[in-house]
Amino acid sequence: MSRYVALGSSMAAGPGIGPRAPGSPRAAGRSARNYPHLVADALGLDLVDVTYSGATTAHVLTESQRGVPPQIRALDGSESLVTVTIGGNDAGYVPMLFAAGLPRLLRAVPVLGGRLRELLDPSARYVALAEVGAALIEVGREIRRRAPKATVLFVDYLTLVPATGDAPPLRPADLALGRHIAETLRQLTADAAQATGCGLVRAADASREHHAWSAHPWTTRFGFPVPGRPAPLHPNADGMRAVADLVIAEVSR
């Protein structure tokens, strides 16, 4: 059976989409119905899923996360497929949107308020985004080096917010910043795939009409986590199925 390694953050792990992947760390938020599992089941692949909620490009490449080795170490060179969804946490994408949904008065609370204001500061987000492109290219290069025989696919982020209009409780200025981060991540991921000879699964484009505030969402709206439900501002089960179908179509081309 061909080996498939899935790398990435919560957008690949699928926190809150039951059931939890057997044997996975609870903190990883790794679902047995995330897109890597659905792809592996459909294609008959031997899956090694090391996706982990909160992961950054550094956690893929060099840094331990909650005692777990860097994700890249899961590669042994025998892989036929590698997917990676990463970069959003480097830019503070979902944390920024979550901060935007919280009551404004929390921004005055000591310590917490400073973190919220930093997440919502466009200048701080632009600085963070400026470093993501090079990090994504390094991810692509290192995967290609360690898995030279594999099909390597960058899978970008499902669309969370509408391109126009409102998305309560998010305010217009915060929505505009969220849209900018999302579009920049989409472009940087595409650029990294091209620069490193990797494939690209365009989940962002495919999901523009399925944002969290749409009639048929593939992602969830702002809210507080509820056990047994998909995490706020993350893929739902329909979104994971849609991304899996996109990956399968790309692999099968």
Side-chain angles (χ1 to χ4, degrees):
M1 186 179 291
S2 297
R3 191 169 193 260
Y4 164 29
V5 174
L7 313 172
S9 64
S10 56
M11 291 298 195
I17 301 174
R20 183 163 59 98
S24 64
R26 190 168 295 276
R30 196 179 299 152
S31 170
R33 295 174 60 203
N34 62 16
Y35 80 74
H37 279 80
L38 297 175
V39 168
D41 289 346
L43 299 180
L45 301 175
D46 181 15
L47 174 64
V48 179
D49 184 358
V50 292
T51 59
Y52 208 111
S53 296
T56 64
T57 54
H59 293 128
V60 170
L61 293 169
T62 59
E63 292 185 7
S64 170
Q65 185 177 7
R66 293 178 177 263
V68 176
Q71 294 181 21
I72 202 81
R73 294 189 189 175
L75 302 176
D76 65 12
S78 68
E79 295 77 23
S80 63
L81 175 64
V82 179
T83 58
V84 58
T85 300
I86 204 69
N89 288 321
D90 296 56
Y93 177 34
V94 171
M96 174 263 149
L97 290 175
F98 192 83
L102 294 172
R104 289 184 66 91
L105 61 87
L106 291 179
R107 301 178 196 181
V109 173
V111 184
L112 173 62
R115 175 58 177 157
L116 295 177
R117 292 193 301 274
E118 191 272 340
L119 282 168
L120 295 166
D121 178 6
S123 296
R125 295 306 99 226
Y126 298 158
V127 169
L129 280 169
E131 300 177 355
V132 174
L136 288 172
I137 289 173
E138 182 60 24
V139 167
R141 286 176 176 164
E142 187 62 14
I143 294 172
R144 297 291 297 159
R145 186 182 74 82
R146 291 184 181 234
K149 296 182 290 186
T151 296
V152 181
L153 300 176
F154 276 95
V155 182
D156 65 14
Y157 287 78
L158 286 169
T159 299
L160 288 172
V161 299
T164 59
D166 298 329
L170 309 182
R171 297 170 180 82
D174 297 327
L175 259 180
L177 179 57
R179 289 172 180 137
H180 173 76
I181 295 171
E183 175 58 22
T184 304
L185 285 170
R186 185 196 67 80
Q187 187 60 58
L188 292 174
T189 303
D191 291 346
Q194 182 174 29
T196 58
C198 297
L200 176 64
V201 175
R202 300 178 184 273
D205 288 344
S207 59
R208 290 192 187 279
E209 301 305 316
H210 296 278
H211 58 80
W213 280 261
S214 70
H216 301 286
W218 289 352
T219 50
T220 55
R221 298 185 184 190
F222 170 83
F224 292 95
V226 176
R229 295 185 184 178
L233 298 168
H234 277 81
N236 60 24
D238 288 344
M240 280 298 183
R241 176 75 266 174
V243 176
D245 289 344
L246 293 169
V247 173
I248 292 165
E250 186 65 25
V251 172
S252 303
R253 283 203 318 165

